[in-house]
Amino acid sequence: MSNEQQVRIYNPSEEMVKNAAVSGMDGYRALCKEAEDDYEGYWGRRAKELLDWKEPFTQVLDQSNAPFFKWFADGKLNVSYNCLDRNVNNGLGDKVALIFEADGGEVIRITYKDLLARVSKFANALRGMGVKKGDRVIIYLPMSIEGVVAMQACARIGATHSIVFGGFSAQALRDRIEDAGAVAVITSDGQFRGGKALPLKPIADEALSLGGCDSVKNVIVVKRTGADVAMVAGRDTWYHDAVANQSETCEPEWVEAEHPLFILYTSGSTGKPKGVQHSSGGYLLQAVLSMKYTFDIKPNDVYWCTADIGWVTGHTYITYGPLACGATEIVFEGVPTYPDAGRFWKMIQDHKVSIFYTAPTAIRSLIKAADNNPAVHPKQYDLSSLRILGSVGEPINPAAWEWYYENVGGG
């Protein structure tokens, strides 16, 4: 076996470097030097420039209780306001925020103005049920517009959400409900995946019956598949009934920068799942910065992260980062191989996606599919809209990268 290593540099075009938010390696090194020379000044400037504050912070970093550092601790903001209201206020109300493509191919487009109205109505519904700042809410939903709305609505009223991936079992859901001390669960009758309707509400009911979930007072159910599900009187409410008569305006709860935005649990594969808490100010700033510096987001980009909102990648690069930057993004229900393995490439073609972010595992499975069936090879589709490719979730092997670079990115 040879230990020889190859190093190859894939340089972007001169045009891209010239127009990038971080222009080439010189621009990158200048950013690094700025952060190294004065890290508090660096982060403070970006927090003031990129986020809207109800009460501006006066101290960037509180190190008095190290290692429990606090960022922008005396500042107040609202994450949902930063993602929605400020875009509407800045003239982007009619811009498409979400392009939802369902498992069966149906497409729904939601503008920033529409999304703000939907989030406000659901936030008012949650408040009407007694959910308040600091309460924890479990979200057990498929990839959907309602999933994004639920997350943003929790952020709007200062409730801390915790998403449980729709493929997890009743026991896994129960454990997270109990550990978080959740007061509400938001779920769906079911979900579509690969052309099949799969249950969610029955799994949520089973989780709540296992004990340790007495903190839950309300279960809100989105009608997605039309499955016949049991509804518990006094506890369960259909989502459409909850929002039916609510106002389309909802004053945000202005929270401290260190206020918990969400808790996301580890998988539990090596023991009890561990809840990782993310704060409002520092998390949102990093989400915005990575959209601008890593993905070089521009006003006309159509951004697509193929992750599920059940993972942190989906939190940052579906629900918060793109919306805080005023971007248009894709929300995708289903699997990359249904109705065939050309699904990703057809969606890029149809929606003129310019920034595409997916996992090496997906790329490897699509390489195999394209080898077996030339009709679903990316070269059968018009992918000329693509500007930036990303991969996430695990290291990408060289062969998969080369294929992705050449066949999807066109070099």
Side-chain angles (χ1 to χ4, degrees):
M1 181 186 287
S2 170
N3 289 324
E4 184 181 345
Q5 290 186 331
Q6 277 193 340
V7 176
R8 296 187 189 178
I9 307 295
Y10 297 81
N11 288 310
S13 68
E14 287 183 18
E15 174 99 2
M16 179 173 280
V17 172
K18 184 176 70 177
N19 295 318
V22 181
S23 184
M25 287 306 295
D26 288 344
Y28 173 69
R29 291 189 185 102
L31 267 184
C32 291
K33 187 173 188 311
E34 182 190 349
E36 287 163 7
D37 290 349
D38 175 19
Y39 59 87
E40 286 197 40
Y42 173 90
W43 289 109
R45 285 188 289 277
R46 270 128 194 105
K48 287 174 182 174
E49 173 196 346
L50 297 171
L51 303 182
D52 281 11
W53 297 85
K54 181 69 170 178
E55 294 179 17
F57 56 89
T58 61
Q59 183 183 18
V60 173
L61 177 61
D62 179 356
Q63 305 184 65
S64 62
N65 191 29
F68 302 102
F69 302 104
K70 293 181 179 179
W71 289 91
F72 323 118
D74 62 346
K76 284 194 172 182
L77 79 169
N78 181 276
V79 170
S80 175
Y81 179 93
N82 273 272
C83 292
L84 303 175
D85 306 57
R86 72 166 174 174
N87 287 315
V88 173
N89 296 343
N90 290 336
L92 298 181
D94 292 326
K95 181 177 181 177
V96 174
L98 306 179
I99 301 171
F100 172 68
E101 182 165 317
D103 188 63
E106 305 89 346
V107 175
I108 299 172
R109 289 175 171 80
I110 305 289
T111 66
Y112 273 93
K113 187 168 59 182
D114 295 337
L115 187 56
L116 174 57
R118 290 184 184 217
V119 168
S120 295
K121 289 179 80 166
F122 191 43
N124 286 329
L126 289 173
R127 274 183 174 159
M129 293 174 181
V131 181
K132 61 188 185 304
K133 177 185 175 184
D135 284 341
R136 275 80 61 209
V137 175
I138 293 286
I139 299 174
Y140 186 57
L141 286 171
M143 284 297 291
S144 57
I145 294 164
E146 290 81 9
V148 175
V149 167
M151 295 169 77
Q152 288 279 347
C154 288
R156 194 163 193 85
I157 63 173
T160 301
H161 63 70
S162 185
I163 298 194
V164 179
F165 172 58
F168 278 7
S169 68
Q171 185 66 49
L173 177 58
R174 188 219 75 94
D175 291 347
R176 288 157 175 79
I177 291 170
E178 180 186 44
D179 192 76
V183 301
V185 174
I186 304 165
T187 188
S188 171
D189 55 359
Q191 59 182 329
F192 289 109
R193 196 166 176 86
K196 297 175 183 172
L198 304 171
L200 280 181
K201 175 64 160 60
I203 298 171
D205 287 340
E206 183 186 346
L208 291 165
S209 74
L210 292 174
C213 301
D214 294 342
S215 57
V216 174
K217 306 304 178 198
N218 289 281
V219 175
I220 302 103
V221 187
V222 175
K223 191 183 283 284
R224 178 70 188 104
T225 64
D228 186 17
V229 295
M231 299 290 280
V232 176
R235 187 197 72 179
D236 298 357
T237 308
W238 285 106
Y239 175 92
H240 57 268
D241 290 334
V243 300
N245 298 311
Q246 299 294 342
S247 168
E248 292 186 351
T249 59
C250 174
E251 176 65 18
E253 182 76 34
W254 303 102
V255 301
E256 304 77 14
E258 284 287 329
H259 179 75
L261 175 64
F262 65 86
I263 301 167
L264 193 58
Y265 285 83
T266 59
S267 64
S269 55
T270 58
K272 184 182 176 183
K274 293 164 279 294
V276 182
Q277 179 178 294
H278 293 255
S279 66
S280 297
Y283 169 80
L284 187 63
L285 178 60
Q286 183 59 30
V288 171
L289 270 178
S290 57
M291 286 298 302
K292 288 184 175 292
Y293 289 176
T294 306
F295 290 106
D296 193 41
I297 195 79
K298 303 278 195 252
N300 295 327
D301 278 321
V302 176
Y303 179 88
W304 183 17
C305 168
T306 68
D308 191 284
I309 54 171
W311 314 122
V312 75
T313 300
H315 284 54
T316 308
Y317 299 112
I318 296 173
T319 299
Y320 294 118
L323 296 178
C325 292
T328 295
E329 60 162 333
I330 308 283
V331 177
F332 146 76
E333 177 189 47
V335 294
T337 52
Y338 179 82
D340 59 46
R343 173 101 189 261
F344 276 5
W345 322 131
K346 186 176 186 302
M347 285 182 64
I348 291 169
Q349 173 183 273
D350 291 353
H351 302 302
K352 301 288 186 284
V353 173
S354 54
I355 304 176
F356 182 59
Y357 195 34
T358 196
T361 301
I363 294 167
R364 286 191 290 270
S365 72
L366 295 174
I367 292 172
K368 190 174 180 182
D371 286 345
N372 293 333
N373 179 8
V376 297
H377 194 285
K379 293 202 169 173
Q380 301 297 326
Y381 301 84
D382 179 5
L383 307 182
S384 59
S385 60
L386 285 170
R387 189 168 70 84
I388 290 175
L389 299 177
S391 76
V392 60
E394 64 198 89
I396 188 165
N397 56 301
W401 163 252
E402 290 279 0
W403 185 90
Y404 191 33
Y405 176 75
E406 291 294 344
N407 294 284
V408 181

